Amino acid sequence: MSIERIYVIGAGLMGHGIAQVSAAAGKQVTLADRTMEMAEKGKARIGANLARQVEKGKLEASDADELLARITPAQGADGAAGHGIVIEAVFEDEAVKRETWEALTRSADPDAIFASNTSSISITGLATSTDRPAKFIGLHFFSPVPVMGLIEIIRGLETDDATYDACRNLAEELGKTVIESKDMPGFLVNRMLGPFINEAVFALMESTGTAEDIDTGAKLGLNHPMGPLELSDFIGNDVMLNVMDVLYRGFGDPKFRAAPLLRQMVTAGHLGRKAGRGFYTYDESGKKVG
Ligand SMILES: NC(=O)c1ccc[n+]([C@@H]2O[C@H](COP(=O)([O-])OP(=O)(O)OC[C@H]3O[C@@H](n4cnc5c(N)ncnc54)[C@H](O)[C@@H]3O)[C@@H](O)[C@H]2O)c1
């Protein structure tokens, strides 16, 4: 049976995108954040995305209005009753997520599915902060959500088949391709991406090549749209360091140790595009200038 009402909690970069693609698929969406103002800001971001599409002639203004009308901003975790699924996209902080899930457990219907968009925290572990580990799952969207075609679905140790099937069906309704991962550190995509970027940082650190040559090598030699160092700057060098630390701790395997240069850059505040400085330098609009 298809899920018609979706509660998205966390209206930031990921949450507003998840709400947008859900409403675009005809779902009724409640978009919640810590305050009503933040939830409304998330909805306004969707409005701005849609306005750009209307300007480019990719979307009718009336369709944009209808899509927006399907999204209701809300405050906090108390309003989840009456929704078939809750998708959580709050900060990547285990304590914050656990507290949020405890509150959602109190307000959501007993048969609602609980999905976390976490990039790195164990789904099996988060499920223990709820009353329904069998109905708890990972739905890992990629940024920007309306553009990226993938959803990685992560089954916790206790996730049941009905929950997986309902989420797979929902992901397909949202127009996404699904890959399925067991609940292992980094799941599938970050487990591949982390070591790839990390190895590029080691090569730079050891002066095997320049940043430009490492990135050009990946772009023209491997047909990647972005080189690993520019991609790390784009994602955030702090986020990539966290991915490596999660892999290293989770597997206890030295092959996942973070490159010392990556850690040093994070310590120095060279976090990438958002900080104006990383492996490259950026102007205020985020354009690469050096
Ligand atoms: N940024 C990415 O590329 C990306 C990709 C995949 C998954 N994720 C995951 O998605 C989640 C959200 O990341 P983001 O990049 O959207 O972060 P973000 O900081 O842009 O947004 C997080 C939002 O959650 C809200 N929030 C925090 N605590 C809350 C609470 N207790 N109740 C309600 N709202 C709360 C914040 O106010 C904020 O608006 C994280 O788990 C992250 O790991 C991020």
Side-chain angles (χ1 to χ4, degrees):
M1 208 176 56
S2 155
I3 296 168
E4 295 310 327
R5 287 174 57 85
I6 301 179
Y7 198 85
V8 179
I9 185 156
L13 176 70
M14 297 306 290
H16 93 276
I18 295 168
Q20 180 176 327
V21 296
S22 300
K27 308 297 178 188
Q28 288 294 330
V29 181
T30 303
L31 179 59
D33 207 293
R34 288 174 291 172
T35 63
M36 191 54 124
E37 200 188 344
M38 288 168 130
E40 274 163 1
K41 212 166 135 195
K43 182 171 173 178
R45 231 165 143 176
I46 298 170
N49 295 345
L50 297 178
R52 273 196 302 275
Q53 285 188 41
V54 171
E55 245 170 60
K56 288 184 194 156
K58 290 184 179 166
L59 185 71
E60 292 293 330
S62 57
D63 289 339
D65 290 345
E66 280 175 27
L67 191 161
L68 268 182
R70 285 194 287 275
I71 302 173
T72 309
Q75 179 183 352
D78 296 338
H83 297 78
I85 188 168
V86 178
I87 304 178
E88 169 271 306
V90 304
F91 296 142
E92 187 73 349
D93 176 312
E94 188 159 353
V96 174
K97 286 198 190 288
R98 282 187 170 276
E99 202 181 304
T100 304
W101 280 117
E102 281 163 18
L104 289 164
T105 301
R106 290 190 291 274
S107 74
D109 294 350
D111 58 350
I113 292 174
F114 282 176
S116 178
N117 184 48
T118 179
S119 311
S120 65
I121 301 170
S122 160
I123 294 301
T124 308
L126 283 178
T128 63
S129 52
T130 75
D131 59 353
R132 64 196 77 180
K135 292 194 153 292
F136 198 98
I137 200 160
L139 278 185
H140 190 205
F141 291 78
F142 291 79
S143 174
V145 179
V147 175
M148 297 295 277
L150 184 70
I151 296 183
E152 192 172 30
I153 301 190
I154 300 102
R155 297 179 75 134
L157 196 62
E158 294 185 45
T159 310
D160 65 21
D161 289 344
T163 300
Y164 176 77
D165 290 345
C167 287
R168 187 178 184 106
N169 186 39
L170 175 64
E172 283 164 3
E173 284 184 284
L174 303 188
K176 305 298 186 193
T177 298
V178 168
I179 59 171
E180 181 184 348
S181 173
K182 286 191 180 144
D183 185 21
M184 286 288 148
F187 313 135
L188 285 175
V189 174
N190 280 341
R191 182 169 175 177
M192 296 187 280
L193 176 66
F196 173 63
I197 287 177
N198 198 47
E199 202 54 37
V201 183
F202 268 117
L204 181 69
M205 188 181 88
E206 293 161 4
S207 303
T208 310
T210 62
E212 286 79 6
D213 281 357
I214 290 167
D215 281 342
T216 302
K219 282 188 278 197
L220 300 187
L222 304 174
N223 214 13
H224 287 202
M226 285 173 98
L229 301 174
E230 56 180 339
L231 182 57
S232 188
D233 271 357
F234 179 77
I235 295 171
N237 295 322
D238 51 335
V239 175
M240 287 320 303
L241 177 62
N242 183 50
V243 168
M244 291 316 296
D245 285 344
V246 164
L247 291 171
Y248 184 69
R249 272 199 311 271
F251 288 110
D253 187 330
K255 77 177 178 184
F256 292 118
R257 75 200 184 285
L261 176 61
L262 183 61
R263 196 174 301 282
Q264 206 173 24
M265 289 185 63
V266 172
T267 305
H270 300 180
L271 305 183
R273 208 163 73 148
K274 63 189 169 190
R277 187 158 178 196
F279 295 103
Y280 301 97
T281 46
Y282 302 85
D283 69 13
E284 273 175 13
S285 71
K287 202 168 145 257
K288 196 163 128 188
V289 289

